[in-house]
Amino acid sequence: MSQPLLVVEGLVRDFGSFRAVDHVDFEVLPGTIHAVIGPNGAGKSTLFKLITGSLKPTSGHVTLSGESIEGKRAHAVARRGLVQVFQLSSVYSRLTVAESVAASIVSRRRRTLDVVTNFHRTALREATAILDQVGLAERASTIAGTLSHGEQRALEIAMALAIEPTVLMLDEPTAGMSPAETRATADLIVSEVRGRGITVVLSEHDMDVVFGISDHVTVLHQGQVIADGTPEAVRSHDQVMAIYLGHGAAKDGGAS
Ligand SMILES: Nc1ncnc2c1ncn2[C@@H]1O[C@H](COP(=O)(O)OP(=O)(O)OP(=O)(O)O)[C@@H](O)[C@H]1O
Ligand SMILES: [Mg+2]
Protein backbone atom coordinates (compact mmCIF):
# COMPACT_ATOMS: atom_id res chain seq x y z
CA MET A 1 0.00 0.00 0.00
CA SER A 2 1.42 3.39 -0.96
CA GLN A 3 2.25 6.11 1.53
CA PRO A 4 -0.25 8.96 1.77
CA LEU A 5 0.73 12.07 -0.19
CA LEU A 6 -1.28 14.49 1.91
CA VAL A 7 -1.92 13.98 5.61
CA VAL A 8 -4.26 16.22 7.62
CA GLU A 9 -4.15 15.75 11.40
CA GLY A 10 -6.25 17.40 14.07
CA LEU A 11 -6.93 20.46 11.93
CA VAL A 12 -8.93 23.17 13.71
CA ARG A 13 -10.07 26.63 12.59
CA ASP A 14 -12.03 28.98 14.80
CA PHE A 15 -13.74 32.19 13.66
CA GLY A 16 -14.19 33.96 17.00
CA SER A 17 -16.11 31.53 19.18
CA PHE A 18 -17.36 29.52 16.17
CA ARG A 19 -15.38 26.38 15.27
CA ALA A 20 -15.69 25.93 11.49
CA VAL A 21 -13.20 23.04 11.22
CA ASP A 22 -13.09 20.75 14.25
CA HIS A 23 -10.17 18.32 14.62
CA VAL A 24 -10.25 17.02 11.05
CA ASP A 25 -8.08 14.02 10.17
CA PHE A 26 -7.76 12.39 6.76
CA GLU A 27 -5.16 11.04 4.35
CA VAL A 28 -5.00 11.29 0.57
CA LEU A 29 -3.25 8.52 -1.37
CA PRO A 30 -1.21 9.46 -4.45
CA GLY A 31 -2.93 9.26 -7.82
CA THR A 32 -6.44 9.15 -6.36
CA ILE A 33 -9.52 11.34 -6.62
CA HIS A 34 -10.48 12.14 -3.03
CA ALA A 35 -13.84 13.85 -2.47
CA VAL A 36 -14.71 15.94 0.58
CA ILE A 37 -18.48 16.24 0.85
CA GLY A 38 -20.94 17.63 3.36
CA PRO A 39 -23.93 19.97 3.61
CA ASN A 40 -23.65 23.74 3.15
CA GLY A 41 -21.54 25.26 5.90
CA ALA A 42 -19.92 21.93 6.82
CA GLY A 43 -16.48 23.52 6.57
CA LYS A 44 -15.27 22.20 3.20
CA SER A 45 -14.05 25.50 1.72
CA THR A 46 -12.47 26.51 5.02
CA LEU A 47 -10.68 23.14 5.17
CA PHE A 48 -9.39 23.63 1.61
CA LYS A 49 -8.10 27.11 2.47
CA LEU A 50 -6.32 25.74 5.55
CA ILE A 51 -4.61 23.10 3.41
CA THR A 52 -3.65 25.44 0.54
CA GLY A 53 -2.32 28.12 2.86
CA SER A 54 -4.80 30.89 2.13
CA LEU A 55 -6.07 30.65 5.73
CA LYS A 56 -4.06 29.85 8.87
CA PRO A 57 -5.21 26.96 11.08
CA THR A 58 -5.94 27.56 14.76
CA SER A 59 -4.15 24.26 15.41
CA GLY A 60 -3.31 20.97 13.74
CA HIS A 61 -0.92 19.62 11.14
CA VAL A 62 -0.80 19.21 7.37
CA THR A 63 1.99 17.33 5.62
CA LEU A 64 2.62 17.03 1.89
CA SER A 65 5.04 14.25 0.86
CA GLY A 66 6.13 14.06 4.48
CA GLU A 67 6.90 17.78 4.72
CA SER A 68 4.99 20.06 7.07
CA ILE A 69 3.02 22.73 5.18
CA GLU A 70 0.54 24.00 7.77
CA GLY A 71 0.62 27.76 8.27
CA LYS A 72 2.77 28.26 5.14
CA ARG A 73 1.68 30.86 2.61
CA ALA A 74 -0.22 29.77 -0.51
CA HIS A 75 2.68 30.48 -2.89
CA ALA A 76 5.07 28.43 -0.73
CA VAL A 77 2.56 25.55 -0.67
CA ALA A 78 2.06 25.86 -4.44
CA ARG A 79 5.83 25.68 -4.98
CA ARG A 80 5.78 22.33 -3.17
CA GLY A 81 3.18 21.11 -5.68
CA LEU A 82 -0.19 21.64 -4.01
CA VAL A 83 -2.37 24.01 -6.02
CA GLN A 84 -5.98 25.12 -5.72
CA VAL A 85 -7.80 26.06 -8.89
CA PHE A 86 -8.06 29.79 -8.79
CA GLN A 87 -10.92 31.87 -10.06
CA LEU A 88 -10.08 33.90 -13.15
CA SER A 89 -8.80 37.22 -11.87
CA SER A 90 -9.71 40.49 -13.52
CA VAL A 91 -6.21 40.62 -15.01
CA TYR A 92 -6.49 37.19 -16.56
CA SER A 93 -10.00 37.89 -17.77
CA ARG A 94 -8.60 40.52 -20.14
CA LEU A 95 -6.05 38.13 -21.68
CA THR A 96 -6.99 35.65 -24.36
CA VAL A 97 -7.59 32.04 -23.34
CA ALA A 98 -4.18 30.95 -24.69
CA GLU A 99 -2.39 33.89 -23.02
CA SER A 100 -4.00 33.03 -19.67
CA VAL A 101 -2.62 29.48 -19.81
CA ALA A 102 0.74 30.79 -21.10
CA ALA A 103 0.86 33.14 -18.09
CA SER A 104 0.47 30.11 -15.79
CA ILE A 105 3.28 28.32 -17.62
CA VAL A 106 5.46 31.39 -17.25
CA SER A 107 4.67 31.64 -13.54
CA ARG A 108 5.62 27.98 -13.11
CA ARG A 109 9.02 28.74 -14.58
CA ARG A 110 9.20 32.00 -12.68
CA ARG A 111 10.06 33.97 -15.81
CA THR A 112 8.59 37.32 -16.74
CA LEU A 113 6.09 37.34 -19.56
CA ASP A 114 7.83 39.04 -22.46
CA VAL A 115 5.77 39.25 -25.61
CA VAL A 116 8.72 39.39 -27.96
CA THR A 117 10.84 36.47 -26.75
CA ASN A 118 10.95 32.95 -28.08
CA PHE A 119 10.04 31.86 -24.60
CA HIS A 120 6.65 33.49 -24.98
CA ARG A 121 6.07 31.62 -28.25
CA THR A 122 7.07 28.33 -26.62
CA ALA A 123 4.67 28.97 -23.74
CA LEU A 124 1.86 29.75 -26.17
CA ARG A 125 2.53 26.51 -28.06
CA GLU A 126 2.47 24.57 -24.80
CA ALA A 127 -0.72 26.40 -23.80
CA THR A 128 -2.39 25.36 -27.04
CA ALA A 129 -1.63 21.71 -26.29
CA ILE A 130 -3.21 22.00 -22.83
CA LEU A 131 -6.26 23.81 -24.27
CA ASP A 132 -6.70 20.95 -26.69
CA GLN A 133 -6.85 18.53 -23.75
CA VAL A 134 -9.51 20.52 -21.90
CA GLY A 135 -11.59 21.07 -25.04
CA LEU A 136 -10.90 24.79 -25.41
CA ALA A 137 -8.60 24.71 -28.46
CA GLU A 138 -11.11 26.56 -30.61
CA ARG A 139 -11.40 29.32 -28.03
CA ALA A 140 -7.64 30.01 -27.82
CA SER A 141 -7.91 33.54 -29.23
CA THR A 142 -11.07 34.49 -27.31
CA ILE A 143 -10.81 36.98 -24.43
CA ALA A 144 -11.04 34.83 -21.28
CA GLY A 145 -13.59 37.07 -19.58
CA THR A 146 -16.10 36.53 -22.40
CA LEU A 147 -16.20 32.71 -22.10
CA SER A 148 -19.32 30.96 -20.81
CA HIS A 149 -19.33 29.91 -17.15
CA GLY A 150 -18.49 26.29 -17.98
CA GLU A 151 -15.69 27.32 -20.33
CA GLN A 152 -14.21 29.64 -17.71
CA ARG A 153 -14.10 26.79 -15.19
CA ALA A 154 -12.41 24.57 -17.82
CA LEU A 155 -9.90 27.37 -18.41
CA GLU A 156 -9.21 27.57 -14.68
CA ILE A 157 -8.42 23.85 -14.71
CA ALA A 158 -6.20 24.35 -17.77
CA MET A 159 -4.34 27.14 -15.96
CA ALA A 160 -3.86 24.90 -12.93
CA LEU A 161 -2.63 22.01 -15.14
CA ALA A 162 -0.09 24.39 -16.67
CA ILE A 163 1.52 24.74 -13.24
CA GLU A 164 2.08 20.94 -13.24
CA PRO A 165 0.90 20.35 -9.66
CA THR A 166 1.29 17.17 -7.63
CA VAL A 167 -2.04 17.74 -5.88
CA LEU A 168 -4.88 19.76 -7.39
CA MET A 169 -7.62 20.99 -5.08
CA LEU A 170 -10.96 21.73 -6.73
CA ASP A 171 -13.61 23.44 -4.59
CA GLU A 172 -16.95 22.70 -6.27
CA PRO A 173 -15.65 22.40 -9.83
CA THR A 174 -19.13 21.87 -11.29
CA ALA A 175 -21.00 24.59 -9.36
CA GLY A 176 -23.42 26.47 -11.62
CA MET A 177 -22.82 24.16 -14.58
CA SER A 178 -25.37 22.64 -16.92
CA PRO A 179 -25.68 18.81 -16.79
CA ALA A 180 -23.61 18.55 -20.00
CA GLU A 181 -20.87 20.84 -18.64
CA THR A 182 -20.88 18.86 -15.38
CA ARG A 183 -20.35 15.59 -17.25
CA ALA A 184 -17.59 17.14 -19.37
CA THR A 185 -15.85 18.47 -16.25
CA ALA A 186 -16.06 15.09 -14.49
CA ASP A 187 -14.55 13.45 -17.60
CA LEU A 188 -11.84 16.12 -17.68
CA ILE A 189 -10.92 15.49 -14.04
CA VAL A 190 -10.62 11.74 -14.66
CA SER A 191 -8.84 11.82 -18.01
CA GLU A 192 -6.69 14.96 -17.98
CA VAL A 193 -6.05 15.53 -14.29
CA ARG A 194 -5.84 12.08 -12.68
CA GLY A 195 -4.81 10.74 -16.10
CA ARG A 196 -1.61 12.78 -15.78
CA GLY A 197 -0.92 11.26 -12.38
CA ILE A 198 -2.13 14.36 -10.54
CA THR A 199 -3.81 13.63 -7.20
CA VAL A 200 -7.19 15.36 -6.91
CA VAL A 201 -8.95 16.60 -3.79
CA LEU A 202 -12.37 17.98 -4.61
CA SER A 203 -15.43 19.24 -2.80
CA GLU A 204 -18.61 18.63 -4.70
CA HIS A 205 -22.37 18.76 -4.16
CA ASP A 206 -23.30 16.70 -7.22
CA MET A 207 -23.49 13.13 -5.90
CA ASP A 208 -23.42 11.64 -9.41
CA VAL A 209 -19.99 13.23 -9.84
CA VAL A 210 -18.81 12.24 -6.35
CA PHE A 211 -19.84 8.60 -6.59
CA GLY A 212 -19.02 8.42 -10.29
CA ILE A 213 -15.36 9.46 -10.14
CA SER A 214 -14.05 9.33 -6.55
CA ASP A 215 -11.74 6.68 -5.16
CA HIS A 216 -12.26 7.85 -1.59
CA VAL A 217 -14.81 10.05 0.18
CA THR A 218 -14.50 12.03 3.41
CA VAL A 219 -17.76 13.40 4.83
CA LEU A 220 -17.77 16.59 6.92
CA HIS A 221 -20.65 17.72 9.10
CA GLN A 222 -20.44 20.79 11.34
CA GLY A 223 -16.68 20.88 10.89
CA GLN A 224 -16.12 17.24 11.86
CA VAL A 225 -15.40 14.11 9.84
CA ILE A 226 -18.39 11.81 10.28
CA ALA A 227 -17.41 9.20 7.68
CA ASP A 228 -14.34 8.36 5.64
CA GLY A 229 -13.87 5.50 3.23
CA THR A 230 -14.66 4.07 -0.17
CA PRO A 231 -17.67 5.54 -2.01
CA GLU A 232 -19.55 2.29 -1.33
CA ALA A 233 -18.83 2.39 2.40
CA VAL A 234 -19.76 6.07 2.69
CA ARG A 235 -22.92 5.68 0.66
CA SER A 236 -24.24 3.06 3.07
CA HIS A 237 -23.06 4.82 6.26
CA ASP A 238 -26.08 5.36 8.54
CA GLN A 239 -25.11 8.80 9.84
CA VAL A 240 -24.29 10.04 6.34
CA MET A 241 -27.65 8.90 5.04
CA ALA A 242 -29.48 10.44 7.99
CA ILE A 243 -27.66 13.77 8.09
CA TYR A 244 -26.79 14.37 4.49
CA LEU A 245 -27.99 12.10 1.76
CA GLY A 246 -31.33 11.51 3.42
CA HIS A 247 -32.78 14.98 3.14
CA GLY A 248 -32.51 15.87 -0.50
CA ALA A 249 -28.94 17.20 -0.62
CA ALA A 250 -27.90 14.18 -2.64
CA LYS A 251 -28.51 15.66 -6.05
CA ASP A 252 -28.90 19.38 -5.94
CA GLY A 253 -30.66 20.44 -2.75
CA GLY A 254 -27.40 21.43 -1.06
CA ALA A 255 -25.71 22.99 -4.05
CA SER A 256 -24.37 26.47 -3.66
N1 LIG B 1 -14.15 34.21 7.33
C1 LIG B 1 -15.13 33.68 8.05
N2 LIG B 1 -15.56 34.29 9.17
C2 LIG B 1 -16.54 33.74 9.94
N3 LIG B 1 -17.15 32.57 9.64
C3 LIG B 1 -16.77 31.93 8.54
C4 LIG B 1 -15.74 32.45 7.68
N4 LIG B 1 -15.58 31.57 6.65
C5 LIG B 1 -16.45 30.58 6.84
N5 LIG B 1 -17.17 30.79 7.97
C6 LIG B 1 -18.21 29.91 8.51
O1 LIG B 1 -17.65 28.61 8.63
C7 LIG B 1 -18.63 27.63 8.29
C8 LIG B 1 -18.08 26.73 7.21
O2 LIG B 1 -18.03 27.48 6.01
P1 LIG B 1 -17.47 26.87 4.66
O3 LIG B 1 -17.55 27.94 3.64
O4 LIG B 1 -16.14 26.27 4.93
O5 LIG B 1 -18.54 25.72 4.38
P2 LIG B 1 -18.70 24.81 3.09
O6 LIG B 1 -18.76 23.40 3.57
O7 LIG B 1 -17.68 25.15 2.08
O8 LIG B 1 -20.15 25.23 2.58
P3 LIG B 1 -20.74 25.30 1.08
O9 LIG B 1 -21.13 23.90 0.74
O10 LIG B 1 -21.93 26.19 1.22
O11 LIG B 1 -19.69 25.85 0.18
C9 LIG B 1 -19.90 28.38 7.88
O12 LIG B 1 -20.76 28.42 9.00
C10 LIG B 1 -19.38 29.76 7.55
O13 LIG B 1 -20.37 30.73 7.80
MG1 LIG C 1 -17.72 25.84 0.16
Side-chain angles (χ1 to χ4, degrees):
M1 176 120 166
S2 48
Q3 292 290 315
L5 185 58
L6 180 70
V7 179
V8 174
E9 288 172 293
L11 209 56
V12 172
R13 172 65 202 212
D14 293 336
F15 294 112
S17 60
F18 177 71
R19 182 153 287 182
V21 171
D22 189 359
H23 293 93
V24 165
D25 298 306
F26 67 95
E27 295 184 345
V28 178
L29 293 174
T32 59
I33 296 178
H34 190 121
V36 177
I37 66 170
N40 293 123
K44 304 177 295 294
S45 295
T46 305
L47 176 64
F48 276 39
K49 288 176 193 161
L50 296 175
I51 295 170
T52 58
S54 60
L55 200 61
K56 284 203 188 302
T58 300
S59 58
H61 301 288
V62 184
T63 52
L64 177 66
S65 306
E67 199 182 348
S68 172
I69 57 165
E70 83 266 355
K72 294 208 186 316
R73 289 174 185 273
H75 65 85
V77 173
R79 221 179 307 124
R80 288 170 170 80
L82 187 143
V83 166
Q84 177 153 8
V85 160
F86 37 98
Q87 303 273 299
L88 281 176
S89 71
S90 55
V91 176
Y92 283 123
S93 73
R94 273 178 251 136
L95 298 178
T96 68
V97 167
E99 286 165 348
S100 302
V101 177
S104 274
I105 292 168
V106 170
S107 77
R108 175 184 88 214
R109 295 185 187 150
R110 294 204 260 159
R111 298 269 295 267
T112 25
L113 187 64
D114 178 346
V115 283
V116 296
T117 60
N118 279 332
F119 177 71
H120 181 69
R121 282 194 286 278
T122 315
L124 274 177
R125 255 202 312 276
E126 219 180 293
T128 308
I130 294 172
L131 289 173
D132 205 22
Q133 287 149 4
V134 305
L136 284 177
E138 285 172 13
R139 308 292 265 155
S141 309
T142 306
I143 297 296
T146 66
L147 294 177
S148 73
H149 175 74
E151 288 172 331
Q152 288 204 9
R153 301 300 303 253
L155 174 57
E156 288 159 9
I157 293 177
M159 289 163 67
L161 288 178
I163 299 171
E164 297 183 348
T166 311
V167 181
L168 184 60
M169 309 230 6
L170 300 162
D171 192 359
E172 296 195 39
T174 72
M177 286 188 173
S178 68
E181 287 174 333
T182 297
R183 273 194 303 278
T185 301
D187 289 346
L188 181 64
I189 292 167
V190 172
S191 63
E192 298 304 333
V193 186
R194 187 177 58 181
R196 290 168 173 233
I198 298 170
T199 303
V200 179
V201 183
L202 79 152
S203 86
E204 181 58 57
H205 281 291
D206 186 317
M207 291 301 121
D208 290 340
V209 173
V210 170
F211 292 109
I213 70 172
S214 305
D215 300 300
H216 196 97
V217 181
T218 299
V219 188
L220 278 189
H221 179 58
Q222 296 177 348
Q224 298 183 332
V225 175
I226 59 160
D228 181 83
T230 62
E232 297 72 32
V234 163
R235 210 204 282 261
S236 56
H237 188 281
D238 286 348
Q239 202 185 355
V240 174
M241 288 202 286
I243 289 174
Y244 184 48
L245 302 176
H247 59 69
K251 187 66 184 81
D252 56 11
S256 62

